[in-house]
Amino acid sequence: MSDEWEFDHLDPWLAPRIHEVFAEIRDGCPVVHSTRYGGFWAALTHEAVKEVTGDPRTYSSTGGPTIPSVHGVLMPPIEFDPPEHTAYRKLIQRQFTRQGAARYEPLLRRLVRDRLTELIEKGDADLIPALARYLPPIAIAVILGLPPEDGTRFVEWTTRLLATTATGDHAENKRVEQEFTAYVAGHLDQTGDEENVIGEIGNGRFDGRPLTPQEQLGMVLLLIMAGHETTVHGIGTMIYHLATVDGLRDRLIADPALIPSMIDESLRVEAPVVTVARTVRGGADLAGRPLEDAERVLLVLGAANHDPAVFERPEEFVCPRDRNPHVAFGSGIHRCIGEHLARLEMRIVAEELLALAPDYHIADGYRPDWTSGPVVRGLTTLPVTFP
């Protein structure tokens, strides 16, 4: 296959056939060039993705995490390289450790149990809006230190910020940014400790000085965006796999210790984050392709997770899978800081769903409708019935 491929990861046509197209490109050429969006290289193998994420000096994050770039509020630490990245991340990482996230398990479990009880009594539900989109905004609000009931408000703000940035509606974008900034600033002004992320940011110092309002806003905005949509899709596709993979629910009910392995395999098969981007600094050689300074590289995580050189029977859902080095959470210094919170939410949903409604099934005639976008992938609906 030629190095040239008119690769368009934003084409809605790609969504239902993404893995077939990725396999065709990856198997013919691990790194291909596209002229779309100003030109970029797409890395589709597991090896190439790991090479790029393992070398932040050559492959910089300062050009933005998406192709095409979305120019809005600068969001530390994801849009910075070391040492700035390291300093920003250190401010908040304590709250996102496994132990830090575990503090919120009783609350999140109660919320999921109560919501499922309501849905089961009703008899049917679309589990994307009713459950997958219900939990993550509350979870990220709680760990940030914001009122749980405000979760839907700031998710709406971030959605509007992204939409107006993409459409170029600068006046509306500025208005939304001012609303959100005022909201965040109000809570930052009230913080007096460091027992939540807002406290960490409000009291944090960078290079010996307090964070600026724009730095604070950017960090909060990033955490809300990264902690919401990606986890929504992770939960939604997991519920779908539980219902459609033969014998999976029975195996998990018989051996709940397999649930973490199931979560990893669900994330591998349908990675919520499909692509991330880097910018070449000073030139590079990637899989034998010479890359010039300032060229853009798209890391196709969804393709790397199906690489047959790493994963045996990559198109099958295998649980337990003996070796599963998937890159659904990324890799290297920018590996998702909210990984443990996302895993916790997915585990709680799986455990409570299997305990309260093990016989739920997807509505007759349902056909998966996958989102298509520059970064995330997931189901738009998932109608189910409860016997």
Side-chain angles (χ1 to χ4, degrees):
M1 178 182 291
S2 169
D3 284 358
E4 290 292 332
W5 182 285
E6 288 308 290
F7 188 84
D8 188 352
H9 51 299
L10 305 188
D11 189 341
W13 172 88
L14 183 64
R17 50 185 65 85
I18 191 170
H19 299 303
E20 294 86 348
V21 174
F22 283 171
E24 181 182 355
I25 304 172
R26 182 193 59 234
D27 295 347
C29 191
V31 178
V32 297
H33 187 264
S34 175
T35 60
R36 301 295 181 98
Y37 312 112
F40 64 92
W41 291 89
L44 294 96
T45 65
H46 193 273
E47 180 181 13
V49 166
K50 294 285 283 187
E51 180 177 343
V52 171
T53 57
D55 185 3
R57 182 183 297 273
T58 302
Y59 301 97
S60 172
S61 297
T62 57
T66 63
I67 294 176
S69 295
V70 177
H71 299 290
V73 177
L74 194 63
M75 295 183 292
I78 197 172
E79 296 185 75
F80 289 83
D81 299 325
E84 292 84 3
H85 166 270
T86 309
Y88 281 125
R89 186 172 174 118
K90 188 176 180 180
L91 290 175
I92 55 175
Q93 64 185 7
R94 182 168 67 95
Q95 299 295 333
F96 288 96
T97 63
R98 182 179 285 104
Q99 294 78 13
R103 292 188 297 157
Y104 305 102
E105 179 168 353
L107 170 63
L108 300 181
R109 188 174 295 278
R110 176 175 58 79
L111 290 169
V112 171
R113 188 173 296 162
D114 291 347
R115 173 52 63 98
L116 275 174
T117 299
E118 295 174 5
L119 299 176
I120 292 167
E121 290 177 355
K122 183 172 175 284
D124 59 67
D126 184 339
L127 291 185
I128 298 302
L131 184 58
R133 288 198 176 278
Y134 165 74
L135 184 62
I138 298 176
I140 197 64
V142 169
I143 203 167
L144 280 168
L146 302 172
E149 62 273 15
D150 283 0
T152 54
R153 290 181 64 199
F154 54 69
V155 166
E156 178 187 351
W157 274 321
T158 58
T159 301
R160 288 164 60 198
L161 273 174
L162 288 175
T164 54
T165 299
T167 60
D169 189 342
H170 302 297
E172 176 65 8
N173 183 271
K174 192 65 176 178
R175 190 175 71 82
V176 177
E177 181 182 330
Q178 290 172 344
E179 290 179 15
F180 191 32
T181 302
Y183 171 85
V184 172
H187 285 280
L188 286 165
D189 288 343
Q190 297 171 22
T191 187
D193 56 47
E194 296 185 359
E195 292 305 312
N196 53 54
V197 176
I198 286 289
E200 301 277 13
I201 294 173
N203 295 311
R205 302 184 72 81
F206 177 81
D207 199 22
R209 59 165 176 79
L211 297 177
T212 68
Q214 283 301 104
E215 287 172 318
Q216 294 174 342
L217 175 65
M219 293 185 79
V220 174
L221 180 61
L222 170 64
L223 292 171
I224 291 173
M225 288 167 48
H228 174 250
E229 198 70 13
T230 56
T231 310
V232 167
H233 293 325
I235 292 172
T237 53
M238 179 191 69
I239 297 172
Y240 174 73
H241 288 140
L242 285 172
T244 56
V245 177
D246 287 345
L248 181 59
R249 278 185 284 187
D250 291 339
R251 294 200 301 277
L252 297 177
I253 291 170
D255 186 2
L258 291 176
I259 289 177
S261 179
M262 176 276 297
I263 290 171
D264 272 315
E265 184 68 347
S266 184
L267 290 167
R268 182 195 70 81
V269 171
E270 290 294 351
V273 178
V274 182
T275 66
V276 293
R278 298 288 188 268
T279 302
V280 177
R281 293 290 180 250
D285 184 286
L286 184 61
R289 275 70 181 173
L291 279 59
E292 297 181 2
D293 180 61
E295 285 197 291
R296 299 279 277 155
V297 180
L298 186 75
L299 306 180
V300 189
L301 307 183
N305 281 341
H306 286 244
D307 189 340
V310 176
F311 302 99
E312 187 178 353
R313 294 149 50 200
E315 303 308 320
E316 297 181 31
F317 192 108
V318 179
C319 178
R321 183 177 283 276
D322 292 337
R323 181 172 176 269
N324 196 352
H326 67 77
V327 289
F329 289 113
S331 66
I333 63 169
H334 285 285
R335 186 177 176 93
C336 176
I337 197 170
E339 173 181 353
H340 297 300
L341 180 61
R343 288 183 184 277
L344 174 66
E345 293 177 61
M346 293 177 71
R347 177 171 61 82
I348 290 172
V349 169
E351 289 172 349
E352 295 300 321
L353 194 56
L354 292 172
L356 298 176
D359 297 326
Y360 78 95
H361 61 87
I362 296 177
D364 293 341
Y366 171 76
R367 297 185 64 182
D369 181 23
W370 298 96
T371 61
S372 61
V375 178
V376 297
R377 171 177 170 83
L379 294 167
T380 60
T381 63
L382 187 59
V384 305
T385 58
F386 302 101

